[in-house]
Amino acid sequence: MALRIIREMGDPVLNKPCKEVTEMTPRIRELIEDMIDTMYEANGVGLAAPQVGVLKRIVVIDCTGEDLYVLINPKIVETSGEQKGQEGCLSVPGKSGEVTRPNYVKAVALDINMKPIEVEGTELLARAICHELDHLEGHLYVEKVEGPLLDVKYDEEEEVE
Ligand code: ZN
């Protein structure tokens, strides 16, 4: 398991648009595996490559602990409805704020084998897809927060491996 350092707000890498992935290489495969490890270690539901300092269009998402999505060059092709809810980000530790997102999202992407896939989600998964794809454009959710950015108290639970 290889963990990467999560970049935090203020790091310019988080404000830059990412480049498309044109071919799978051992280095990109390793990046994706490290992103997955880093996301789970941080108890996140998603992580985008710029959050570990790499400007490539790759995100990993797992909202349930059982449904891991690796999305390469993802694009949202359909949205509907609306949801308001608290959102947080591993790059903005200790904070959350209310963000309005579509309640349903359909995205197309490539998987880790560069095969086309389609992902549909509602509620948290729809929110996570929107949030992670914003990272690929250099945007953080704090730009979309309605009202105050709140402090979050984390449970100081010991991690059991
Ligand atoms: Zn984020």
Side-chain angles (χ1 to χ4, degrees), residues 14-126:
L14 293 172
N15 301 117
K16 293 180 178 157
C18 296
K19 293 203 173 78
E20 297 234 321
V21 177
T22 53
E23 60 171 340
M24 185 50 57
T25 62
R27 219 172 142 207
I28 292 176
R29 198 172 275 270
E30 190 184 340
L31 165 68
I32 292 170
E33 284 164 7
D34 291 352
M35 285 172 63
I36 294 167
D37 291 341
T38 303
M39 172 182 72
Y40 285 132
E41 178 70 18
N43 292 316
V45 299
L47 191 71
Q51 292 183 276
V52 294
V54 180
L55 290 170
K56 291 193 187 302
R57 302 185 77 83
I58 302 170
V59 307
V60 296
I61 295 173
D62 187 347
C63 293
T64 64
E66 292 172 1
D67 290 304
L68 175 65
Y69 297 98
V70 174
L71 305 179
I72 298 170
N73 303 339
K75 282 190 187 72
I76 291 174
V77 292
E78 204 181 318
T79 62
S80 70
E82 195 180 278
Q83 57 172 320
K84 282 182 187 289
Q86 291 295 316
E87 205 160 301
C89 178
L90 294 175
S91 294
V92 191
K95 300 285 180 190
S96 80
E98 188 175 76
V99 181
T100 302
R101 300 283 192 185
N103 196 49
Y104 165 85
V105 170
K106 187 200 272 187
V108 293
L110 300 173
D111 69 10
I112 198 164
N113 298 310
M114 301 297 274
K115 294 274 186 296
I117 50 167
E118 203 176 85
V119 182
E120 278 184 302
T122 59
E123 297 169 20
L124 182 57
L125 180 55

